[in-house]
Each structure stands twice: as C-alpha cells, then as structure tokens.
Amino acid sequence: MSLWWSLHLRREAASVPLARRLLLGTMENAGVDPDISFDLSIALTEACANAVEHGAARTRSSQDAYRVTAYLDGEKCRIEVADSGPGFPRATMERPAPHGYAPDADQEDQADHLEHGRGLGLIEELADHVSLANRDGAVLSFDKVLKFSNLSPAGV
C-alpha cells in the first residue's frame, strides 16, 4: 500500500489534534499495529507543537502556517513537518547530548534546556530516523518501519 497526504495548517494549538487524528485514522485504515500508530502520533504531536511554538514567520503574513505531510509506502512511514520560522539553531542541528543533557552547561541553562528541549528527544526515541533541515524555515522529518496488525488486509 502506498498513500500520502499533506495539510497546510494555521500556526495555532487547535491545529495539532487535527493532524494527529488524521494520522491515526490513516494508520487504522491501513491496518498498522496500534502501538506503532500511537508512537507516530505522539512524535507528530511533538513536531506540530514545535512548529506552533517556534515556527513564526519572519514577517506577519499568510505564511504564519505550517505544513504536515505523511507518506506511507509499503512498510515505511515518513512524516515531515515544515514551518516558515527562523529554522533550527545551530546547536540543535549539531545534536546536543542525548535526552537533553549537556554535561558542560550550568544548572540554570540545563534547567531551561530540559524545560523546552524534550520534544526532539522524544521524537528521536519514537522514530527510527530523524532529520532536521533549514530550508525557508525549519523542516523536521522522521521515519518509522511499520508493523501491521494480524487482522488487517495490509498485514496478511
């Protein structure tokens, strides 16, 4: 099975559940194992929340939105979330230590990083591969190998 969909969403918190529900419905209809679907939905929720919080366009315009695209191709799912904001900081692109821990940071910097830096770490834990790019904003994409439930036509 191969399918894809793309959403252009306003950069507001109310848009996040819409993307998540569409992904969960797609996964259910494709017969994807519920545990895999749940993991991907959590990762998508985090990615969308990052776009809503950090993806503000440099100038106020109709560009104050973000895009979510999901591709299901055979046994692989790729999700991409792109916004028109300032992009990822260089420190994020260089991948700080796992789970938001930076051993050389002072306690105040460490606390701030842990308070606001958990989303990417969670996505990395839930997905098989994560990539970050700065192309007219931030682009976060992640992949996961799918497993299908025994009852689904796709999993037979």
Side-chain angles (χ1 to χ4, degrees), residues 40-76:
L40 282 170
S41 73
I42 296 297
L44 175 61
T45 298
E46 290 296 329
C48 290
N50 283 344
V52 167
E53 183 175 349
H54 304 292
R58 291 174 189 94
T59 59
R60 194 82 173 147
S61 69
S62 63
Q63 295 295 320
D64 200 16
Y66 68 103
R67 179 180 41 83
V68 177
T69 306
Y71 307 90
L72 276 73
D73 190 18
E75 294 183 359
K76 183 178 175 184

Side-chain angles (χ1 to χ4, degrees), residues 19 26 95:
T26 302
R95 300 297 179 125

Side-chain angles (χ1 to χ4, degrees), residues 52-154:
V52 167
E53 183 175 349
H54 304 292
R58 291 174 189 94
T59 59
R60 194 82 173 147
S61 69
S62 63
Q63 295 295 320
D64 200 16
Y66 68 103
R67 179 180 41 83
V68 177
T69 306
Y71 307 90
L72 276 73
D73 190 18
E75 294 183 359
K76 183 178 175 184
C77 178
R78 168 167 277 206
I79 297 173
E80 181 177 284
V81 178
D83 64 53
S84 57
F88 292 104
R90 186 168 59 180
T92 300
M93 298 291 288
E94 293 171 355
R95 300 297 179 125
H99 309 294
Y101 176 72
D104 296 330
D106 66 32
Q107 287 183 341
E108 187 175 315
D109 288 344
Q110 187 69 32
D112 184 58
H113 181 73
L114 289 173
E115 177 67 25
H116 299 291
R118 289 181 263 185
L120 288 175
L122 182 57
I123 294 167
E124 288 176 332
E125 290 293 322
L126 295 170
D128 295 328
H129 178 263
V130 177
S131 72
L132 308 173
N134 288 328
R135 295 186 304 246
D136 296 325
V139 180
L140 166 63
S141 63
F142 52 96
D143 302 334
K144 186 144 183 97
V145 173
L146 300 176
K147 294 178 186 167
F148 295 90
S149 81
N150 293 336
L151 303 175
S152 73

